[in-house]
Amino acid sequence: NTKDLSSFEGAYELTPGAYYNICVEKDSLYFSTYGTKEKSALIRKSERTFDFTLPFSQITFQKDGFDFRWVDFTYHAKKVAPPMSKDFDFDLNRFTGIYSNKEHNCIYELVVINNKLIARHPMHHNVELDIYAEKCIYAKNSYFGKIDFLFNSDRKVEGFKLSRQNLTNIRFVKQK
């Protein structure tokens, strides 16, 4: 019944920057990548477990999220606040600049093009970034993951921490 399924509704983060949405429609549960219209029905197997669309895969809901099981691997997705809408009211230009991480010998340039924040890397294609919250940006359609910006006492951006699958809080310092 819909009331029973509604406790599973919400936004979930499987890996840093990988957000998914669970919703209820007509007494069925659906899975989608956050911000997209395509969705897949989840077929109920038990009170908290549903078959997923991939072969040999299922989702089991827990109190704080869900476990995504695929073949022999299990990944936990935590329930999170949904990302911001596209109607934000802060200046993306405050995030622009060149950022570096000396340990990994890596540089990213953040620029604004057509009111979108873009991450540029000398060896990779440009990555369009989406707003999660005022201090957090992620890439919905990419391997990139998410950025948590770091501010000084004057509220100026001094760097960011990059996280994605298997990497957590890799610190980049703003150069200019």
Side-chain angles (χ1 to χ4, degrees), residues 65-82:
F66 65 73
D67 290 333
F68 171 62
R69 179 129 177 110
W70 182 57
V71 189
D72 295 334
F73 302 96
T74 301
Y75 305 92
H76 182 72
K78 62 183 175 184
K79 198 167 195 178
V80 296

Side-chain angles (χ1 to χ4, degrees), residues 9 21 35 76 91 156 161:
E9 284 188 298
N21 191 50
H76 182 72
D91 185 9
K156 295 198 186 295
K161 291 181 181 178

Side-chain angles (χ1 to χ4, degrees), residues 41-57:
L42 299 174
I43 309 303
R44 190 173 222 157
K45 290 179 68 176
S46 70
E47 183 180 335
R48 296 179 302 121
T49 301
F50 296 78
D51 278 337
F52 189 65
T53 57
L54 295 172
F56 312 107
S57 64

Side-chain angles (χ1 to χ4, degrees), residues 34 133 174:
Y34 198 87
K174 188 171 187 178

Side-chain angles (χ1 to χ4, degrees), residues 8-25:
F8 304 135
E9 284 188 298
Y12 294 82
E13 182 180 46
L14 187 61
T15 59
Y19 298 102
Y20 300 95
N21 191 50
I22 301 291
C23 67
V24 177
E25 288 182 15

